[in-house]
Amino acid sequence: ATRPTGRSSDGGRRFNRFSRRLGALVAGALFNAKLNRQRDNRLLRVETRGVAAAIRAELASVETALRENAEALRRNAPQDFVVPDIAHSVKVFPSLMDKIGLLGDPSLITEIVGAYIVIDQYCESLVMAGRHLGGNIPDHRRVVGMPAARADFVAQINDNMAERMLGAMRLLDRFIE
């Protein structure tokens, strides 16, 4: 048996070189895709953590204000008093509403949205239990005039709402730690 010479062995070598180069190119493209996926996943985790931290910070601020107001009402047996509408201090959540899906867990999202709904309904709850909306207040603020006899009631509402905020904050903690 004689061995073929010339062109056919040249074609085989060229095909082998082409195959190796194509394989290296495909391997490089796959490795690059893997690196891009890892980067995208890292950026998504960072963004999710940022969203969770921002919402948690806002809820913590609301929770602190509610607890401090409740303590002040219990400490200072007031005469008639006014209560600020805490919904007007909510600035972060509306700007992050389109990113809340990053948190992934429907029960967590439900709890967070529920906490913000309670915040939004706070003023209406007080008006129904109190007297009136306060006057001579800038448009970006609202207060509710309350009779002194409703101080314990308002303190209890504040405590209940603060617990709701705390529950949502605890759920968010897993994204931040």
Side-chain angles (χ1 to χ4, degrees):
T2 61
R3 202 169 146 196
T5 60
R7 289 188 152 141
S8 59
S9 70
D10 255 358
R13 280 192 295 259
R14 281 188 208 146
F15 180 75
N16 284 340
R17 276 187 297 207
F18 172 76
S19 296
R20 282 191 304 250
R21 288 178 181 161
L22 180 62
L25 185 64
V26 169
L30 291 173
F31 183 70
N32 189 37
K34 178 184 174 190
L35 292 177
N36 285 338
R37 262 192 324 277
Q38 288 173 339
R39 183 204 64 220
D40 291 347
N41 289 341
R42 187 183 80 254
L43 292 173
L44 185 62
R45 283 190 307 274
V46 167
E47 185 175 18
T48 300
R49 189 172 186 214
V51 167
I55 291 172
R56 190 195 187 291
E58 185 166 66
L59 290 175
S61 173
V62 169
E63 188 256 348
T64 299
L66 288 166
R67 293 217 191 266
E68 288 174 356
N69 290 346
E71 288 173 23
L73 286 171
R74 288 190 180 101
R75 226 181 11 251
N76 303 328
Q79 298 178 0
D80 289 358
F81 60 99
V82 294
V83 180
D85 182 7
I86 57 174
H88 285 255
S89 63
V90 171
K91 306 289 185 209
V92 174
F93 184 70
S95 67
L96 294 177
M97 191 61 184
D98 60 334
K99 295 182 182 217
I100 196 165
L102 291 172
L103 300 174
D105 181 358
S107 62
L108 168 64
I109 294 168
T110 299
E111 185 66 28
I112 291 168
V113 170
Y116 279 98
I117 288 171
V118 168
I119 291 169
D120 198 47
Q121 293 173 344
Y122 180 70
C123 183
E124 287 81 9
S125 299
L126 294 178
V127 168
M128 291 188 329
R131 284 198 233 161
H132 57 83
L133 286 172
N136 295 332
I137 303 294
D139 290 340
H140 65 282
R141 294 282 182 216
R142 259 191 324 197
V143 294
V144 178
M146 298 295 292
R150 300 302 275 168
D152 286 336
F153 173 80
V154 173
Q156 188 60 50
I157 285 179
N158 287 2
D159 286 337
N160 292 343
M161 286 183 62
E163 284 302 313
R164 181 83 187 251
M165 303 306 117
L166 198 56
M169 289 162 42
R170 285 185 184 125
L171 291 173
L172 287 164
D173 284 343
R174 71 177 178 212
F175 290 96
I176 300 167
E177 296 172 346

